[in-house]
Amino acid sequence: MYRRPAPDLLISRGHVLDVATGEHIRRDVGVRDGRVVPAAALRDPRIVDASERTVLFGLWDCHAHPGSLMHDPTGDGYFEGTPARTLRALANMSDALQAGVVGMRILGETDEIDIAIARATASGHLIGPRVLPSGLALHTTGGHGHAYPRDYLRMMYFDKVDGPDAIRRSIRSHVEHGAQWIKVCLTGGLFSEHEAVDDAQLDAEELEVLMRTAAARNIPVAAHCGSPRVAERFAQLGGRSIEHGYALDEAAAASMAANGTWLVPTISVSHDEEMMRADGWPAHAIARAKDAARAHGEALRACVAAGVRIAIGADLNPISVRLHRELELLEAAGMSRLAVLHAATAGGRMLNGVGSSTAPTEGDSADLIVVDGNPLDRMAVLREPSAVIVHGRIATAGIA
Ligand SMILES: [Zn+2]
């Protein structure tokens, strides 16, 4: 480790928010060696004055593509290579960190950029969010992701898998290379003209082999999935999270709830028309998104009603802006503010196996934010945290 050890921290006089109960209780929080500890255990701590402020777990983007240009209408991405994409990912992640994002599950990134960054931030070489990488997303020939306006000339963006042998080989290779999630595209999406959000792109045998191989290697699977019937089957086979869930219905939600399958709704991709226009989405994609929006909102509400666990993903870039917008749109779509805060913070930790607490508690990994006011009163206070602490280290100049 190149960095000096982090000093102990005493986050003093803040109100600690429990995102399950909404309790907002004044108490000091100690941090040592990356973990929350009692204040009495600290040695010569650096003081973070949190008077009149709220202390809570930081935000998680559970569906990130930090190096992606998304729709790239100018075609800039055509000729770039891995170094340029890596730098853009790092800049995006550093900006997100300043906006309170302490954790990311990266679901599809090129050339193992995500795996390298995950190792660098976990080891302390680099200050950045805690990262759970998935390497290349899996899809079939002609599957979701193919109809972007261009394919990269030099970089692979997906692992194309057709048939059980290719699927087994891909999952085992991901494990060997250090992926911590498998991302697979099970159905179509909004952007491509040749597919629908609820078509099935793997056959039954391929899906079963995928889930069996991942289970044998103990790696969780996240599925881009819009179809209710495919989601139902994925949940029955032990799938850990459904991404987007455009057309989920009550039966799919019931299956997800019964099998402990999470939903990461990414509601912005069908609801944020301002973003689509600003990002240069083609007209057919905007039309499809608007068509999908009503069902997407209903799918979210069906999952909330069924008790499906929810975590939050931006999917879009820049993460700092899009993730905060996602929180607002989820509230507007029918989640309570407390449920949104839970999904955005503790939900990300739980989905990624980081911890099950809903307020910073002794022994928890110290990935925390300090904000000016109570986000239950005004969610916008999350946008500019006074302090961000990740891996137990202060990542912002802030108030310390
Ligand atoms: Zn995505």
Side-chain angles (χ1 to χ4, degrees), residues 32-53:
R32 150 170 271 214
D33 292 336
R35 303 242 156 228
V36 175
V37 297
L42 300 173
R43 270 185 243 140
D44 193 22
R46 187 170 165 190
I47 309 291
V48 178
D49 179 6
S51 315
E52 310 304 321
R53 296 179 167 119

Side-chain angles (χ1 to χ4, degrees), residues 60-131:
W60 277 74
D61 181 356
C62 291
H63 188 126
H65 308 286
S68 173
L69 281 166
M70 299 295 158
H71 304 308
D72 190 18
T74 60
D76 288 350
Y78 249 115
F79 303 105
E80 76 176 9
T82 303
R85 189 172 170 114
T86 305
L87 288 172
R88 188 169 52 251
L90 286 171
N92 192 5
M93 293 172 79
S94 148
D95 179 49
L97 184 65
Q98 300 301 312
V101 181
V102 300
M104 281 185 196
R105 186 178 61 146
I106 300 182
L107 290 187
E109 190 44 90
T110 312
D111 255 348
E112 300 184 3
I113 291 170
D114 55 337
I115 295 173
I117 294 176
R119 288 189 174 133
T121 63
S123 68
H125 288 164
L126 190 72
I127 293 187
R130 192 175 290 277
V131 172

Side-chain angles (χ1 to χ4, degrees), residues 343-369:
T345 58
R349 293 170 64 91
M350 291 174 193
L351 172 61
N352 287 292
V354 173
S356 57
S357 303
T358 51
T361 306
E362 189 178 337
D364 286 339
S365 65
D367 304 312
L368 311 171
I369 52 176

